[in-house]
Amino acid sequence: MPDTLLITGWGQVGPAGAGSAGCRPEAAVPLPVTRAFVDPGLDPVKRLGRGTARFIDRTTALTLMACDEAAADADLRIEPMAERVGVTLGTSCGSVAGTAEFIRDSFVNERPHMVNPIKFPNTVINCAASHAAIRMGAKAINTTVSGGRVSGLLAMRHAQLTLRAGHADALLVGAVEEFTPENAWTAVRGRPRGDDTPLGEAAAMLVLERAAAARPGRRSWAELLAVTVQTFGDPDDRAASHRLGRAALAAAGVPAEEVAVVSLSGTGDPHADADRRRGLAGLFPDPAMRWRDAESIAGDCYSALAAVQLADVLTLRRRDPGLAGRSALVAAFDETGVAAMAVLRFSGSE
């Protein structure tokens, strides 16, 4: 029988974490949007210290702040078990701004010292996860998963496999997306026609632990029952989402009647996304079903969105003890044709 995997805490930075709404972003260069879900008061230097924040990119800063919050929320005592604690982070490109800055410096700076070598790690996709492991003292497996809009759930799937294979006892797992001019221009150029969701940034990290290795009396908020990853090549989006949702519930061993919360994010195509929601709705005829829309609180934070969805449903459980014993389905779709779904069962402990 596979290990029981517990979510014992989480942390989130960005608009949803700070409770702020979409606002007018500020930048020294022109932006392609006039409104975005960003937290103008987010100060990496104040949160992380000048020594840490000085040379890291925004993606890494967001990740470190979310990891700090998650470890504190879960009361994760890393030092006694550092060799058994790891990090799994979802992203798409790492920091677009960090890479662009390094490349730009090689053309505009004076010779012979064209670039600052300290900033080279910012161009590498696993920069944020590596910094997080160093800061937290986590010495087990360290992984970066790239998967577009489903990155957060792909990271959860990887974490699930890692823990059940015995490579770690606890993982900080989640996803991140920054809002910078370079990132904003890249996102706008690649968006589907008709997608007018404001852009956003966020990092959400969860603490996922093997119940068998957790210290006695450990508080948990949910059990991770299943994470499924499939393609949705069916031309009928409604039928495809219905089929994938049914498969996710079957993998978790959860009847549809047990599900109290469904969180769904799509690809930005309004017609296809509406069809996918109708397909999932066919699984849950209960009119009292709670539907969650992470884009309304965090914007289109792309790679981070699925992790924000997880944090959102867990926050809902924290606010409503009546959800104990019920389940949640978190579903995300990427324009490349990949879908991922996670099923959680909310714990009864407080």
Side-chain angles (χ1 to χ4, degrees):
M1 184 175 180
D3 284 338
T4 299
L5 303 182
L6 304 177
I7 298 173
T8 54
W10 65 94
Q12 182 178 334
V13 293
S20 58
C23 66
R24 181 178 293 276
E26 297 179 3
V29 299
L31 290 168
V33 296
T34 58
R35 182 172 176 266
F37 280 78
V38 295
D39 180 4
L42 198 63
D43 186 349
V45 173
K46 184 181 294 186
R47 295 278 295 272
L48 302 172
R50 186 172 299 278
T52 297
R54 186 178 180 187
F55 292 115
I56 62 175
D57 55 64
R58 192 161 180 84
T59 288
T60 300
L62 292 168
T63 302
L64 297 186
M65 289 185 277
C67 283
D68 283 353
E69 289 192 7
D73 185 62
D75 188 24
L76 181 63
R77 302 172 188 174
I78 295 178
E79 186 175 345
M81 51 185 286
E83 302 290 341
R84 301 293 298 168
V85 180
V87 177
T88 301
L89 181 68
T91 181
S92 288
C93 304
S95 174
V96 175
T99 301
E101 180 183 355
F102 192 82
I103 294 172
R104 184 169 55 245
D105 285 352
S106 69
F107 287 100
V108 303
N109 286 2
E110 293 184 5
R111 295 175 182 272
H113 306 293
M114 296 187 297
V115 297
N116 184 343
I118 294 178
K119 293 186 177 182
F120 174 74
N122 296 345
T123 69
V124 183
I125 197 170
N126 68 335
C127 175
S130 299
H131 272 285
I134 293 169
R135 179 177 176 82
M136 306 306 295
K139 299 180 180 180
I141 191 167
N142 183 278
T143 309
T144 299
V145 180
S146 175
R149 294 180 182 276
V150 299
S151 293
L153 292 184
L154 294 185
M156 288 294 287
R157 173 63 174 162
H158 188 280
Q160 179 189 49
L161 295 173
T162 298
L163 292 170
R164 287 184 172 165
H167 299 306
D169 291 331
L171 291 173
L172 286 153
V173 53
V176 61
E177 187 71 71
E178 67 183 17
F179 181 89
T180 59
E182 296 86 352
N183 183 279
W185 281 105
T186 301
V188 167
R189 294 290 185 181
R191 296 184 115 191
R193 183 174 299 176
D195 184 4
D196 59 357
T197 307
L199 298 176
E201 72 173 3
M205 300 296 295
L206 294 75
V207 176
L208 187 65
E209 302 187 51
R210 292 177 53 236
R215 66 178 187 268
R218 198 81 170 96
R219 179 198 65 185
S220 70
W221 293 100
E223 177 186 346
L224 178 64
L225 299 179
V227 184
T228 60
V229 180
Q230 301 181 48
T231 58
F232 58 98
D234 192 324
D236 183 344
D237 288 296
R238 186 183 306 190
S241 64
H242 187 93
R243 171 174 51 84
L244 298 177
R246 190 171 60 246
L249 294 177
V254 169
E257 295 75 18
E258 184 182 303
V259 177
V261 182
V262 177
S263 175
L264 172 64
S265 64
T267 63
D269 181 327
H271 300 294
D273 290 344
D275 279 344
R276 292 178 190 122
R277 174 162 178 159
R278 283 191 285 267
L280 282 178
L283 291 169
F284 310 110
D286 184 357
M289 174 66 64
R290 302 191 196 186
W291 288 86
R292 305 295 292 176
D293 175 16
E295 284 117 329
S296 66
I297 57 174
D300 180 7
C301 52
Y302 200 64
S303 302
L305 190 54
V308 170
Q309 291 175 256
L310 289 166
D312 176 59
V313 299
L314 289 165
T315 301
L316 186 65
R317 158 63 186 95
R318 177 172 281 171
R319 293 172 178 169
D320 184 358
L323 287 173
R326 303 294 298 277
S327 294
L329 174 72
V330 176
F333 293 82
D334 186 76
E335 55 266 32
T336 59
V338 177
M341 298 190 183
V343 182
L344 316 178
R345 178 176 288 130
F346 295 124
S347 302
S349 60
E350 294 296 330

